Coordinates of all heavy atoms in Angstrom, one line a residue:
Chain A
V326 N -15.8 -42.3 -9.9 CA -16.9 -42.7 -10.8 C -17.7 -41.5 -11.2 O -18.0 -40.7 -10.3 CB -17.9 -43.6 -10.1 CG1 -18.9 -44.1 -11.1 CG2 -17.1 -45.0 -9.6
V327 N -17.7 -41.2 -12.4 CA -18.4 -40.1 -13.0 C -19.9 -40.7 -13.4 O -20.0 -41.3 -14.5 CB -17.8 -39.3 -14.2 CG1 -18.7 -38.2 -14.6 CG2 -16.5 -38.8 -13.7
S328 N -20.8 -40.6 -12.5 CA -22.1 -41.3 -12.7 C -23.1 -40.3 -13.4 O -24.1 -39.8 -12.8 CB -22.7 -41.7 -11.2 OG -23.8 -42.5 -11.5
A329 N -22.8 -40.0 -14.6 CA -23.6 -39.0 -15.4 C -23.1 -38.9 -16.7 O -21.9 -39.5 -17.0 CB -23.5 -37.6 -14.8
T330 N -23.8 -38.5 -17.7 CA -23.2 -38.2 -19.1 C -23.1 -36.7 -19.2 O -23.8 -36.0 -18.7 CB -24.0 -38.8 -20.2 OG1 -25.4 -38.6 -19.9 CG2 -23.9 -40.3 -20.4
P331 N -22.1 -36.3 -20.0 CA -22.0 -34.8 -20.2 C -23.2 -34.3 -21.0 O -23.6 -34.9 -21.9 CB -20.7 -34.6 -21.1 CG -20.0 -35.9 -21.1 CD -21.2 -36.9 -20.8
I332 N -23.8 -33.2 -20.4 CA -24.9 -32.5 -21.1 C -24.2 -32.0 -22.4 O -23.1 -31.4 -22.4 CB -25.4 -31.5 -20.2 CG1 -26.1 -32.1 -19.0 CG2 -26.4 -30.5 -21.0 CD1 -26.5 -31.1 -17.9
P333 N -25.0 -32.0 -23.6 CA -24.5 -31.5 -24.8 C -23.9 -30.1 -24.7 O -24.5 -29.3 -24.1 CB -25.6 -31.5 -25.8 CG -26.6 -32.5 -25.4 CD -26.4 -32.6 -23.8
G334 N -22.7 -29.9 -25.0 CA -21.9 -28.6 -24.9 C -21.0 -28.6 -23.7 O -20.0 -27.9 -23.7
N335 N -21.1 -29.7 -22.8 CA -20.2 -29.8 -21.6 C -19.1 -30.8 -21.9 O -18.3 -31.1 -21.0 CB -21.0 -30.2 -20.4 CG -21.7 -29.1 -19.8 OD1 -21.5 -27.8 -20.3 ND2 -22.5 -29.3 -18.7
E336 N -19.1 -31.5 -23.0 CA -18.3 -32.5 -23.3 C -16.8 -32.2 -22.9 O -16.1 -33.0 -22.2 CB -18.3 -33.0 -24.7 CG -19.7 -33.8 -25.0 CD -20.6 -32.9 -25.6 OE1 -20.6 -31.6 -25.5 OE2 -21.6 -33.3 -26.0
A337 N -16.3 -31.1 -23.4 CA -14.9 -30.8 -23.4 C -14.5 -30.6 -21.9 O -13.5 -31.2 -21.5 CB -14.6 -29.5 -24.1
L338 N -15.3 -29.9 -21.1 CA -14.9 -29.8 -19.7 C -15.0 -31.1 -18.9 O -14.2 -31.3 -18.2 CB -16.0 -28.8 -19.1 CG -15.7 -27.3 -19.4 CD1 -16.8 -26.4 -18.8 CD2 -14.3 -26.9 -18.8
A339 N -16.1 -31.8 -19.2 CA -16.2 -33.2 -18.5 C -15.0 -34.0 -18.8 O -14.6 -34.7 -17.9 CB -17.6 -33.8 -19.0
Y340 N -14.6 -34.1 -20.1 CA -13.5 -35.0 -20.4 C -12.2 -34.5 -19.8 O -11.3 -35.3 -19.5 CB -13.5 -35.3 -21.9 CG -14.7 -36.1 -22.4 CD1 -15.4 -35.8 -23.4 CD2 -15.0 -37.4 -21.7 CE1 -16.5 -36.6 -23.8 CE2 -16.1 -38.2 -22.0 CZ -16.8 -37.7 -23.2 OH -17.9 -38.4 -23.5
K341 N -12.0 -33.3 -19.9 CA -10.7 -32.6 -19.3 C -10.6 -33.1 -17.9 O -9.6 -33.5 -17.4 CB -10.9 -31.1 -19.5 CG -9.5 -30.5 -19.3 CD -9.6 -29.1 -19.7 CE -8.7 -28.2 -19.0 NZ -9.0 -26.8 -19.0
T342 N -11.8 -33.0 -17.2 CA -11.7 -33.4 -15.7 C -11.4 -34.8 -15.6 O -10.5 -35.2 -14.7 CB -13.1 -33.1 -15.2 OG1 -13.5 -31.8 -15.3 CG2 -13.2 -33.5 -13.6
I343 N -11.9 -35.7 -16.5 CA -11.6 -37.2 -16.3 C -10.1 -37.4 -16.6 O -9.4 -38.1 -16.0 CB -12.5 -37.9 -17.4 CG1 -13.9 -37.9 -17.0 CG2 -12.1 -39.4 -17.5 CD1 -15.0 -38.4 -17.9
D344 N -9.6 -36.6 -17.6 CA -8.2 -36.7 -17.9 C -7.4 -36.3 -16.8 O -6.4 -37.0 -16.5 CB -7.9 -35.9 -19.2 CG -8.2 -36.4 -20.5 OD1 -8.7 -37.7 -20.5 OD2 -8.3 -35.8 -21.5
N345 N -7.6 -35.3 -16.2 CA -6.9 -34.8 -15.1 C -6.9 -35.7 -13.9 O -5.9 -36.0 -13.2 CB -7.2 -33.3 -14.7 CG -6.8 -32.4 -15.7 OD1 -5.9 -32.6 -16.4 ND2 -7.4 -31.2 -15.8
L346 N -8.1 -36.4 -13.6 CA -8.1 -37.3 -12.6 C -7.2 -38.5 -12.9 O -6.5 -39.1 -12.0 CB -9.6 -37.8 -12.4 CG -10.6 -36.7 -11.7 CD1 -11.9 -37.0 -12.1 CD2 -10.2 -36.5 -10.3
C347 N -7.3 -39.0 -14.2 CA -6.3 -40.0 -14.5 C -4.9 -39.6 -14.3 O -4.0 -40.4 -13.9 CB -6.5 -40.3 -16.1 SG -7.9 -41.2 -16.5
R348 N -4.6 -38.3 -14.6 CA -3.2 -37.9 -14.5 C -2.8 -38.0 -13.0 O -1.6 -38.2 -12.7 CB -3.1 -36.4 -15.0 CG -3.0 -36.2 -16.4 CD -2.5 -34.8 -16.8 NE -2.4 -34.7 -18.2 CZ -3.3 -34.4 -19.0 NH1 -4.5 -33.9 -18.6 NH2 -3.1 -34.3 -20.4
Q349 N -3.7 -37.7 -12.1 CA -3.4 -37.8 -10.7 C -3.2 -39.3 -10.2 O -3.0 -39.5 -9.0 CB -4.5 -37.1 -9.8 CG -4.9 -35.7 -10.3 CD -3.8 -34.7 -10.1 OE1 -2.6 -35.0 -9.7 NE2 -4.0 -33.5 -10.6
G350 N -3.4 -40.2 -11.1 CA -3.3 -41.5 -10.8 C -4.6 -42.4 -10.4 O -4.5 -43.5 -10.1
A351 N -5.7 -41.7 -10.4 CA -6.9 -42.3 -10.1 C -7.3 -43.3 -11.2 O -7.0 -43.1 -12.3 CB -8.0 -41.4 -9.8
R352 N -8.1 -44.4 -10.7 CA -8.8 -45.2 -11.7 C -10.1 -44.4 -11.9 O -10.9 -44.2 -11.0 CB -9.0 -46.6 -11.2 CG -9.8 -47.5 -12.1 CD -9.8 -48.9 -11.6 NE -10.6 -49.6 -12.5 CZ -11.7 -50.4 -12.1 NH1 -12.0 -50.6 -10.8 NH2 -12.5 -51.1 -13.0
V353 N -10.4 -44.1 -13.2 CA -11.7 -43.3 -13.5 C -12.7 -44.2 -14.3 O -12.3 -44.6 -15.4 CB -11.4 -42.0 -14.2 CG1 -12.7 -41.3 -14.3 CG2 -10.3 -41.2 -13.4
L354 N -13.8 -44.4 -13.7 CA -14.9 -45.1 -14.5 C -16.0 -44.1 -14.9 O -16.5 -43.2 -14.0 CB -15.6 -46.1 -13.5 CG -14.7 -47.0 -12.8 CD1 -15.5 -48.0 -11.9 CD2 -13.7 -47.8 -13.7
Y355 N -16.4 -44.2 -16.2 CA -17.5 -43.2 -16.6 C -18.3 -43.8 -17.6 O -18.0 -45.1 -18.0 CB -16.9 -41.9 -17.1 CG -16.0 -41.9 -18.2 CD1 -16.4 -41.4 -19.5 CD2 -14.7 -42.4 -18.2 CE1 -15.6 -41.4 -20.6 CE2 -13.9 -42.5 -19.2 CZ -14.4 -41.9 -20.5 OH -13.6 -41.9 -21.7
H356 N -19.3 -43.2 -18.3 CA -20.3 -44.0 -19.0 C -19.7 -44.6 -20.3 O -20.2 -45.6 -20.7 CB -21.3 -42.9 -19.5 CG -20.9 -41.9 -20.5 ND1 -20.2 -40.9 -20.2 CD2 -21.1 -41.8 -21.9 CE1 -19.9 -40.2 -21.3 NE2 -20.4 -40.8 -22.3
R357 N -18.5 -44.2 -20.8 CA -17.9 -44.8 -21.9 C -17.2 -46.1 -21.6 O -17.1 -46.9 -22.4 CB -16.8 -43.9 -22.6 CG -17.4 -42.6 -23.3 CD -17.4 -43.0 -24.8 NE -18.1 -41.8 -25.5 CZ -17.4 -40.8 -25.9 NH1 -16.1 -40.7 -25.8 NH2 -18.1 -39.8 -26.6
T358 N -16.8 -46.2 -20.3 CA -16.1 -47.3 -20.0 C -16.9 -48.4 -19.1 O -16.6 -49.6 -19.1 CB -14.8 -47.0 -19.0 OG1 -15.3 -46.4 -17.9 CG2 -13.9 -46.0 -19.7
D359 N -17.9 -47.9 -18.4 CA -18.7 -48.8 -17.6 C -20.2 -48.3 -17.4 O -20.4 -47.1 -17.7 CB -18.0 -48.8 -16.1 CG -16.7 -49.2 -16.1 OD1 -15.7 -48.6 -16.3 OD2 -16.6 -50.6 -15.8
L360 N -20.9 -49.2 -17.1 CA -22.4 -48.9 -17.0 C -22.8 -48.1 -15.7 O -23.4 -48.7 -14.8 CB -23.3 -50.0 -17.3 CG -24.7 -49.6 -17.9 CD1 -24.9 -50.5 -19.1 CD2 -25.7 -49.7 -16.9

Side-chain angles (χ1 to χ4, degrees):
Chain A
V326 181
V327 182
S328 187
T330 40
I332 291 169
N335 283 356
E336 289 89 351
L338 284 174
Y340 290 130
K341 197 172 149 192
T342 305
I343 292 171
D344 282 349
N345 286 335
L346 290 163
C347 285
R348 282 196 175 92
Q349 312 294 358
R352 181 172 174 236
V353 186
L354 313 179
Y355 67 107
H356 72 285
R357 287 263 175 87
T358 65
D359 294 86
L360 210 127

